[in-house]
Amino acid sequence: MGGCRHARHGRCIIYDRRGFHRSAPPVPFGTLDLVDHVDDAAAVLAALHAGPAVVIGRSTGGLIAVELARRFPDKVKGLVLLEPALFTIDPDAHVWARNLRLRVLERSAGRTGLLAATVMREALGDATWASLPEDLQQVLAGTGPAVLAEITGHRMDLSEDALELGENELAGIRRPTLLVTAEDSSEACRLVNARLTGALPITRTVLVAGGHLINPAHPAVLDFVDRIAARVDTWA
């Protein structure tokens, strides 16, 4: 895509996950499960004959990327995880996410248009939401039904039954992985990445400036993409 900086480093594919923005369904839906998103991602790669790919995921997208690599390893050449929302991996992060879920549901009850803003305000702070351009805020407000469907669905980061992966399951993800942590992110995000660093077998970590909305085209990410594309095995 012309607007993707990664296009200079290889083929770049960007998609909105099911229920969000350009992938919003024409009719209302009930729940969205992690399996739906993982199957969709695998189908996109298959339809575009794009695998194996370096898969980049931030937050919930990182959770989807982890499960994609676990279930469809043949479609993944490498992973870039920008503070993935696998909160169950750490007890304190898990408690934080469960409390976040309850606050979001309570403060946006019956008002789906507030869900995206509430999640961002509660998880990232009011200043982060206020810093977004107004047109982006409007786009995010329209994702309320999908956000609610994920929260009430299964195995998502804010689901009642969030995905839990044990040491053996994580150790089985034998793909080069770049774990990116932001200096100003919440402690929960840092705890998750610290646990993943010890659990995933082939990892490199990097600390970047700013908060949770990490730039997927950060120079450290692009360098990783180039190394994987060139099959350089000495980066870890």
Side-chain angles (χ1 to χ4, degrees):
M1 293 184 180
C4 177
R5 294 182 186 179
H6 296 84
R8 300 178 182 178
H9 302 260
R11 187 182 184 190
C12 179
I13 300 167
I14 302 174
Y15 77 102
D16 293 323
R17 69 180 185 264
R18 187 188 302 199
F20 288 80
H21 196 31
R22 296 171 300 177
S23 298
V27 295
F29 50 90
T31 61
L32 283 172
D33 302 337
L34 179 58
V35 66
D36 296 323
H37 292 312
V38 172
D39 286 347
D40 286 347
V44 168
L45 291 173
L48 298 177
H49 306 287
V54 178
V55 180
I56 303 173
R58 179 175 58 205
S59 196
T60 301
L63 171 66
I64 296 168
V66 167
E67 190 66 349
L68 177 69
R70 197 175 72 85
R71 288 188 49 216
F72 297 97
D74 59 313
K75 296 187 181 300
V76 178
K77 182 184 296 185
L79 286 170
V80 178
L81 304 177
L82 312 175
E83 297 186 339
L86 186 58
F87 298 115
T88 55
I89 196 174
D90 180 88
D92 291 335
H94 191 194
V95 170
W96 177 86
R98 290 184 67 84
N99 290 336
L100 172 61
R101 179 181 190 274
L102 294 176
R103 292 198 308 271
V104 168
L105 289 174
E106 177 184 352
R107 298 184 182 184
S108 60
R111 298 174 292 176
T112 57
L114 296 180
L115 271 166
T118 303
V119 170
M120 291 196 68
R121 289 181 185 277
E122 290 292 328
L124 309 181
D126 292 338
T128 298
W129 175 260
S131 70
L132 299 178
E134 185 176 350
D135 57 344
L136 180 54
Q137 289 184 2
Q138 292 176 354
V139 168
L140 291 174
T143 67
V147 174
L148 180 61
E150 289 186 343
I151 292 176
T152 56
H154 299 286
R155 303 294 187 266
M156 297 299 295
D157 46 312
L158 296 184
S159 297
E160 178 66 25
D161 59 346
L163 177 70
E164 296 186 34
L165 295 178
E167 292 182 2
N168 290 339
E169 292 165 310
L170 289 167
I173 302 175
R174 303 195 61 81
R175 292 293 182 270
T177 302
L178 179 66
L179 286 165
V180 185
T181 306
E183 292 177 345
D184 300 329
S185 282
S186 68
E187 181 182 7
C189 292
R190 292 194 293 272
L191 290 172
V192 169
N193 272 11
R195 295 271 184 174
L196 286 174
T197 299
L200 295 173
I202 312 172
T203 61
R204 180 183 183 183
T205 62
V206 62
L207 181 68
V208 301
H212 183 61
L213 300 182
I214 300 167
N215 181 7
H218 187 280
V221 174
L222 298 180
D223 177 70
F224 175 84
V225 170
D226 288 343
R227 286 174 176 270
I228 295 300
R231 297 185 179 181
V232 174
D233 299 323
T234 59
W235 62 270

